[in-house]
Amino acid sequence: DGGITQSPKYLFRKEGQNVTLSCEQNLNHDAMYWYRQDPGQGLRLIYYSQIVNDFQKGDIAEGYSVSREKKESFPLTVTSAQKNPTAFYLCASSIKGRPLSGAGEKLFFGSGTQLSVL
Amino acid sequence: EDQVTQSPEALRLQEGESSSLNCSYTVSGLRGLFWYRQDPGKGPEFLFTLYSAGEEKEKERLKATLTKKESFLHITAPKPEDSATYLCAVHGQGGSEKLVFGKGMKLTVNP
């Protein structure tokens, strides 16, 4: 079955530590996204990538980094510079980053990673 | 700046009690309005995309409608398994490729 796989499901970060969240998709989608979800808030975009070897900052990119070396993979690193990292992190993909028809593209989401601070 | 407001924030219904969820939006040119369902501890699951005012889409007990300012998600004769958080998002033509999400609406359906 095609889909998006996020791992791990739960992750704990120590003070000053960098941690990496994995996101893999086998949908052959061009675009991939990372969102952060906090209780009582809407999903906020961290980074997105419309093509391999290219990515753009979203609304809350500070303290995070990404890479897109393969079409299937879009890992997110939460660095020690992110002072409030506790949240539910969601990876998503869409068929194309720039819709050809001008119509919006729906997102397919992974099952999420809950990151907490020790 | 594109904005999405969902109301109410939470809704509790009895099984079989129909109701509607509201999503108000402001956007510079609508490319699409999306409804998602999210269960606790899981990623959002796509429900509908609406593109223009007057459009309607249905899936089982759910029906989504769209005007130029808001969208409604109508739930007819809900069942306990419809309990979830429902998210609304818009994709505008403001030059960004991102969706803007509302805060979500938690629906609880009691048996």
Side-chain angles (χ1 to χ4, degrees):
Chain A
D1 285 340
I4 300 176
T5 302
Q6 289 188 242
S7 62
K9 180 66 176 176
Y10 300 96
L11 186 59
F12 297 91
R13 194 191 86 168
K14 295 180 181 179
E15 192 78 28
Q17 185 183 39
N18 293 351
V19 293
T20 297
L21 285 61
S22 171
C23 178
E24 303 279 332
Q25 56 102 353
N26 61 2
L27 299 168
N28 199 33
H29 286 177
D30 287 330
M32 297 187 73
Y33 311 79
W34 275 105
Y35 284 88
R36 171 177 171 145
Q37 187 173 38
D38 295 279
Q41 294 195 39
L43 273 66
R44 292 183 291 168
L45 183 64
I46 304 172
Y47 269 97
Y48 65 103
S49 168
Q50 295 168 310
I51 196 169
V52 174
N53 292 323
D54 186 46
F55 49 82
Q56 288 78 39
K57 293 181 179 180
D59 298 319
I60 54 167
E62 184 174 352
Y64 301 97
S65 66
V66 294
S67 63
R68 186 86 186 276
E69 298 177 359
K70 298 187 298 181
K71 187 175 184 177
E72 304 80 22
S73 179
F74 192 41
L76 174 74
T77 296
V78 184
T79 74
S80 57
Q82 173 50 245
K83 299 305 181 186
N84 184 25
T86 297
F88 190 53
Y89 290 84
L90 288 161
C91 179
S93 69
S94 62
I95 295 173
K96 292 212 176 278
R98 293 189 180 277
L100 298 178
S101 66
E105 290 280 352
K106 69 181 182 184
L107 298 181
F108 295 78
F109 285 88
S111 56
T113 293
Q114 176 64 50
L115 175 62
S116 303
V117 177
L118 288 176
Chain B
E1 183 178 327
D2 299 344
Q3 290 188 326
V4 176
T5 302
Q6 292 187 248
S7 62
E9 293 184 1
L11 182 62
R12 192 176 292 269
L13 300 174
Q14 289 298 121
E15 185 172 3
E17 180 186 1
S18 301
S19 188
S20 298
L21 316 180
N22 176 261
C23 172
S24 298
Y25 66 92
T26 56
V27 65
S28 54
L30 183 68
R31 283 185 181 174
L33 184 141
F34 302 83
W35 282 99
Y36 289 87
R37 169 194 170 124
Q38 185 176 23
D39 292 307
K42 296 187 177 181
E45 176 186 341
F46 171 78
L47 292 174
F48 303 108
T49 307
L50 301 168
Y51 294 107
S52 58
E55 190 174 1
E56 299 182 352
K57 289 191 177 176
E58 289 188 66
K59 180 181 179 180
E60 296 180 355
R61 295 176 292 281
L62 300 177
K63 179 180 178 180
T65 62
L66 181 66
T67 73
K68 289 185 178 180
K69 295 183 178 180
E70 57 192 351
S71 176
F72 290 94
L73 185 64
H74 306 278
I75 303 177
T76 302
K79 298 181 178 182
E81 52 262 43
D82 294 321
S83 298
T85 295
Y86 291 86
L87 307 178
C88 176
V90 296
H91 190 182
Q93 293 181 345
S96 170
E97 298 299 333
K98 65 180 184 180
L99 292 184
V100 175
F101 283 84
K103 294 182 179 181
M105 197 289 303
K106 183 175 181 180
L107 174 66
T108 304
V109 182
N110 295 317

